[in-house]
Amino acid sequence: MNLSRRHLLSGGLAGLGVLGVSALTGCSTSTEPTSDKDAGDAKKLVLWIWPEGFDNQTLAAVSKALPSYSVRQDVIGGDFKQKLTTTFTAGSGLPDLTGVKGEDIAFFRDHADHFVDLNTLGAKDIKSNFLDWKWAQATTTDGKQLGIPSDIGPTVLFYRADIFEQAKLPTEPDKVAAQITTWDAFVEFGTNMLAAKDKTYLVRNSAGLFDTVWPQSGKGFIDEKKTFIGDQDHIRNAWDIAVKAFKAGIVAAIKSNTSDSAAAVNEGRLPADFGASWHLADLMVDAPSTKGKWRVCAPPGPAINQGGSFLSIPAGVSDPKASFAAIRELLSVKSQVREYDHNGNFPVSPKAYDDPKVSGPVGFLGGQHAAKVFAEAAESVRPLFEDSNSGTVSAPFTAQLEQVESSGKNPETAWHDAVSEAKRIAKQLHLTVK
């Protein structure tokens, strides 16, 4: 199984020039930042975070800007959401501030009483520094703000310029993007690739393509009224595009995060992949010898986001004002730039995009100023309502697409089976099903 971005960040991979003018370096997992060494009477605030963590320089910046406080970073391994949930249930042992992963924020919106409403501490005063759609992900329906965004994952098309050149296809990002503005055009582009280079695919698997297309609609599988909408046209359209790509032969039908997948990337059989900004590190792990051959460009259709987390304050902490002051510094524009340079977290503040450490050339991408592509995607992402049960009710669609790939199941039968199973699950979850 290929190494994950987290493993890369934990071990470091110097010299590949992933970010601007510096290489990606390993993050510290120390629970005692250097700023705590001589903190004196400074109030120590405990931060819970997953293994990627914040750079020690970022932690030290809190003490420099706020001499009365210092942050102790406690790295929590394993299931971070479960650790938080268990501690909330216990009612004791909570940190002064905590990270919340993007995929978990919808769940915690349903348990808003676990957190301090950050609007009561001045969150609205800094809202303009952050992208509206990401800010809204941590906003409850009654207007409470449960978290401040720490980073985002704008999604683009990564591609191998050398393989495209061998297939006599465009290689410059603007020219590639111009030829794949629609999904029909993308499928045609893929068939041209296949005709020029046998067994060379633009898509890793149908489920991945499906999950790239449906968020472009701005709607998911459950709406704000807790109604299942996975049988509607926006989901069917994504299904049809995935099936069309598979029938055209441009889908490799390889599972992600496997040795087969890594081998296909290394060998050039998968010279393209949709991915968020953090996907660059995955490519560096899968295929370090391909440094300089990759580029990024805008994908077909509207931009989407994958990932990106938040910092929140658990209800009942002793000094929520101090915790919020620390969050403001940890997620300042300067800190976002530092964290991008440190671990590849793409900034959620547009004010960071012109900083040379963000906008500079990326060695692994052949010196391309890739932040421009990511930033344009980030600033055009459509808001997408996410329900805590979305992943559960969408699972049958992924499972059925895998059956279409692996066993040749009729796509129409597979669609009806997916909808039927999703509705059954939705009813069990007490969602409205029409």
Side-chain angles (χ1 to χ4, degrees):
M1 193 166 185
N2 72 320
L3 293 173
S4 70
R5 173 173 175 262
R6 177 169 296 170
H7 286 105
L8 169 63
L9 293 172
S10 297
L13 194 56
L16 290 183
V18 58
L19 305 174
V21 296
S22 69
L24 188 65
T25 57
C27 74
S28 169
T29 57
S30 170
T31 59
E32 290 288 336
T34 55
S35 60
D36 277 355
K37 296 295 184 181
D38 297 300
D41 294 329
K43 177 178 176 57
K44 185 174 292 184
L45 302 171
V46 176
L47 162 67
W48 279 8
I49 200 70
W50 37 88
E52 292 169 19
F54 283 93
D55 183 47
N56 275 346
Q57 292 183 11
T58 301
L59 299 175
V62 177
S63 295
K64 184 176 180 180
L66 308 165
S68 298
Y69 311 118
S70 64
V71 174
R72 191 189 82 197
Q73 177 170 252
D74 286 0
V75 173
I76 308 297
D79 190 329
F80 195 88
K81 173 188 168 186
Q82 184 60 43
K83 172 68 173 179
L84 267 181
T85 303
T86 301
T87 310
F88 279 131
T89 302
S92 62
L94 286 164
D96 297 286
L97 57 157
T98 182
V100 175
K101 294 185 178 183
E103 62 264 33
D104 297 332
I105 195 66
F107 170 82
F108 285 118
R109 277 205 317 267
D110 291 341
H111 303 277
D113 58 324
H114 288 331
F115 298 96
V116 174
D117 176 8
L118 301 182
N119 286 326
T120 64
L121 300 171
K124 291 181 180 179
D125 295 338
I126 61 173
K127 181 180 178 181
S128 61
N129 290 337
F130 301 86
L131 290 165
D132 286 343
W133 58 265
K134 187 62 179 178
W135 185 275
Q137 287 182 352
T139 307
T140 64
T141 53
D142 59 354
K144 294 176 182 173
Q145 192 64 30
L146 304 187
I148 306 299
S150 60
D151 62 291
I152 52 174
T155 299
V156 300
L157 178 70
F158 290 79
Y159 68 92
R160 286 272 298 271
D162 59 324
I163 302 295
F164 279 27
E165 183 177 21
Q166 292 170 20
K168 301 188 184 306
L169 295 170
T171 59
E172 292 301 314
D174 289 347
K175 292 182 178 179
V176 174
Q179 286 209 5
I180 59 169
T181 55
T182 67
W183 287 109
D184 284 344
F186 178 79
V187 172
E188 182 180 357
F189 195 92
T191 57
N192 291 337
M193 166 70 74
L194 199 61
K197 292 183 67 65
D198 188 37
K199 297 182 180 179
T200 305
Y201 309 95
L202 284 192
V203 180
R204 188 181 302 257
N205 53 61
S206 301
L209 180 57
F210 174 74
D211 285 337
T212 298
V213 179
W214 68 256
Q216 293 182 326
S217 67
K219 295 189 293 183
F221 293 82
I222 303 170
D223 67 14
E224 293 87 341
K225 296 180 179 180
K226 295 287 185 179
T227 299
F228 172 74
I229 56 173
D231 57 347
Q232 294 185 3
D233 289 346
H234 64 290
I235 300 297
R236 180 61 199 244
N237 177 62
W239 177 279
D240 288 344
I241 289 171
V243 169
K244 180 177 182 178
F246 178 69
K247 287 183 174 180
I250 71 169
V251 177
I254 298 175
K255 289 186 177 181
S256 301
N257 302 321
T258 62
S259 57
D260 287 344
S261 177
V265 172
N266 264 295
E267 296 164 8
R269 291 183 286 113
L270 270 178
D273 210 0
F274 295 105
S277 49
W278 45 260
H279 182 56
L280 176 57
D282 293 329
L283 293 175
M284 291 172 63
V285 171
D286 283 349
S289 64
T290 63
K291 175 188 176 183
K293 298 177 180 180
W294 292 90
R295 304 290 186 274
V296 294
C297 72
I304 67 169
N305 178 76
Q306 295 179 334
S309 303
F310 302 85
L311 288 183
S312 301
I313 302 175
V317 299
S318 60
D319 193 346
K321 289 184 179 180
S323 296
F324 186 68
I327 287 178
R328 290 186 65 154
E329 186 58 37
L330 287 169
L331 301 182
S332 69
V333 174
K334 286 184 179 180
S335 293
Q336 289 182 49
V337 170
R338 189 185 298 109
E339 288 302 306
Y340 176 73
D341 192 46
H342 163 60
N343 63 17
N345 285 345
F346 199 78
V348 67
S349 173
K351 295 178 180 179
Y353 298 160
D354 292 330
D355 189 287
K357 289 185 178 180
V358 177
S359 63
V362 182
F364 200 85
L365 300 177
Q368 182 183 359
H369 292 254
K372 182 176 184 294
V373 180
F374 291 121
E376 289 176 352
E379 295 184 274
S380 60
V381 168
R382 297 179 65 177
L384 177 67
F385 174 77
E386 297 174 84
D387 187 89
S388 57
N389 292 310
S390 293
T392 305
V393 298
S394 67
F397 295 87
T398 298
Q400 289 296 325
L401 280 171
E402 289 176 350
Q403 288 194 39
V404 171
E405 280 186 354
S406 62
S407 61
K409 185 171 182 175
N410 180 280
E412 195 64 26
T413 301
W415 165 259
H416 288 293
D417 288 349
V419 170
S420 177
E421 177 64 7
K423 285 185 174 181
R424 184 189 66 79
I425 294 172
K427 289 177 181 178
Q428 288 184 336
L429 295 170
H430 305 292
L431 300 171
T432 301
V433 178
K434 296 180 179 179

